[in-house]
Amino acid sequence: MTVRLVVALLAIAATPLEAQQDDAARLAGRVSPEVAALVRQLATDAAARGLPVDPLIQKAIEGGAKGVSPDRVVIAVRGVAAQLDAAAGDLREAGLTPLDTEAIAAGAFALNAGLAGRDVVTLARASRAAYGAAVTLRVAGTLTALGVPAAETVALVSETIRAGRKPGDLLALPGRVQAEVARGATPAQAAAGLARAAAAHANAPGQNRPKHPHP
Amino acid sequence: MTDFHPLVKQLLDGEVTLADLPPGLRAEGEEALRLLGAVHREPVTLPAALEAGVMTAVRHRAAAPSLWRRLTAPREVRLRVRPWTLAPALAAAAALALLLSPPRPEPKATTVTVRFVLFAPQAQQVALAGTFNQWDPAATPLVSTGASGIWTATLTLPAGEHQYAFVVDGARWVPDPAAPAVDDGFGRRNSVLTL
């Protein structure tokens, strides 16, 4: 029994070290050793705050691949860490606890795409079991990246969830907006039209709305 | 009752927009949306006298035998369990539990096959670099389709959000003109793909 306990404790203690070695291996040869050391430190600090580490490593590797100067790589990685912190704060404000790293990364992406913290809070509150916060925020971020204004993005995603549409329909929203834009609508008009259709569906008599709010 | 065209029913379901309808059906679609919006949904309020009368009658009937009498009255209870009757009962209980269980989220597709296309008639080589291949410009070359200048690559990617760019002639990072894009933090744009 004692041996089993010791083995289990050793395994728990060794996990962060393995993760650090994995991050070091990913950074090796992709950025300078100095940048790699700084990024590893930022990643360790982020992990201690419960933030996902992968976006930081990815940003550093991306900077290296694009031939960006080491200073700018570190600035960009710090920027990603700040967005992850902000997203985690917004999700906490929305009452999503415990936080999962996937939702935090999606929140940071949505912020980077142009949504404000209050939008992330609203969308996280609108998300439900069938439409996890991560998927909701990814879709919202993608819509914003398409040029849909934040207000229309929030309305479209919220109405689609309220209408009880399938998660696949949520993921299809950016494609539907793009199709409307190809027909001549502005991103805002396209999103507003789709939101109106979703609202009509949600308000139709006998609609089976989701009954299980996010845990 | 009006029987709407199937496309108009799709409009009411929110599956298509008014703009998706053929011009000949748009008037019918607008009328259907108008009717849907005009449905009266205010709660019905009953007259106070009627409600009071009903509640008096209900209370009168409910007052019959006292709880103490029902609990203390002697009665015979026989319980007979036959093992072969348990199987259908368990099956019925399982079916009931299945029916009453809350709806589960749709199983997520773990991977999705995506085709990337870039029109670059002057390019000698085009590659794809992104979060899915550790931003390695050598990992995913695109194939030119003859002299058309169209370069393509088909990838199977995990569900989630991916960022990427095309790398033209090994040096020029070009965002996908057909995809949404976000600031990459280095003064350029990354294309975004959400699956």
Side-chain angles (χ1 to χ4, degrees), chain B residues 40-61:
Chain B
H40 190 69
R41 297 193 186 90
E42 286 178 16
V44 176
T45 308
L46 296 174
L50 175 64
E51 194 176 335
V54 170
M55 290 312 292
T56 307
V58 169
R59 284 192 198 106
H60 179 70
R61 277 186 208 168

Side-chain angles (χ1 to χ4, degrees), chain A residues 128-141:
Chain A
R128 293 179 164 87
Y131 323 83
V135 173
T136 302
L137 291 167
R138 271 186 216 132
V139 170

Side-chain angles (χ1 to χ4, degrees), chain A residues 26 30 58-59 61-63 65-66 68 72 76 109 112 138 142 145 165-166 176 178 180 183 201 203 212, chain B residues 13-15 17 20 41 102-103 106 131 134-135 160-161 173 178 180-181 183-184 186-188 190 192 194:
Chain A
R26 288 174 69 193
R30 306 301 302 270
Q58 284 276 2
K59 188 52 70 183
I61 293 172
E62 179 190 344
K66 289 180 174 177
V68 177
R72 289 198 73 178
F109 163 66
N112 187 41
R138 271 186 216 132
T142 309
R165 294 307 189 93
K166 289 181 280 186
R176 294 184 71 185
Q178 279 184 300
E180 293 295 325
R183 289 188 190 121
H201 188 270
N203 293 332
H212 304 278
Chain B
D13 287 341
E15 291 166 4
T17 64
D20 294 330
R41 297 193 186 90
E106 275 191 348
T131 48
Q134 302 297 307
W135 295 97
E161 175 246 325
W173 292 73
D183 180 13
D184 73 348
F186 305 118
R188 297 182 184 137
N190 282 340
V192 173
T194 301

Side-chain angles (χ1 to χ4, degrees), chain A:
Chain A
M1 181 70 188
T2 312
V3 174
R4 275 189 197 168
L5 187 65
V6 169
V7 169
L9 286 172
L10 280 174
I12 291 166
T15 308
L17 186 64
E18 275 177 23
Q20 282 175 25
Q21 285 170 347
D22 184 40
D23 294 341
R26 288 174 69 193
L27 291 166
R30 306 301 302 270
V31 291
S32 69
E34 295 77 20
V35 171
L38 271 170
V39 171
R40 279 205 311 275
Q41 186 56 52
L42 286 170
T44 305
D45 294 347
R49 297 197 300 278
L51 304 178
V53 167
D54 189 60
L56 305 177
I57 307 295
Q58 284 276 2
K59 188 52 70 183
I61 293 172
E62 179 190 344
K66 289 180 174 177
V68 177
S69 70
D71 291 353
R72 289 198 73 178
V73 172
V74 174
I75 289 169
V77 174
R78 283 192 205 280
V80 173
Q83 279 174 338
L84 292 169
D85 268 322
D90 294 335
L91 295 177
R92 268 189 220 102
E93 190 182 330
L96 292 193
T97 49
L99 293 183
D100 70 281
T101 52
E102 211 181 340
I104 297 171
F109 163 66
L111 291 173
N112 187 41
L115 287 174
R118 64 177 178 280
D119 301 322
V120 171
V121 173
T122 306
L123 289 163
R125 282 184 180 145
S127 66
R128 293 179 164 87
Y131 323 83
V135 173
T136 302
L137 291 167
R138 271 186 216 132
V139 170
T142 309
L143 288 168
T144 310
L146 273 170
V148 177
E152 278 78 5
T153 293
V154 172
L156 175 55
V157 173
S158 302
E159 288 296 349
T160 303
I161 292 173
R162 197 167 71 87
R165 294 307 189 93
K166 289 181 280 186
D169 292 338
L170 195 66
L171 281 168
L173 287 177
R176 294 184 71 185
V177 167
Q178 279 184 300
E180 293 295 325
V181 169
R183 289 188 190 121
T186 65
Q189 288 167 341
L194 290 169
R196 275 197 301 274
H201 188 270
N203 293 332
Q207 270 309 303
N208 182 23
R209 291 176 206 160
K211 301 179 186 79
H212 304 278
H214 203 292

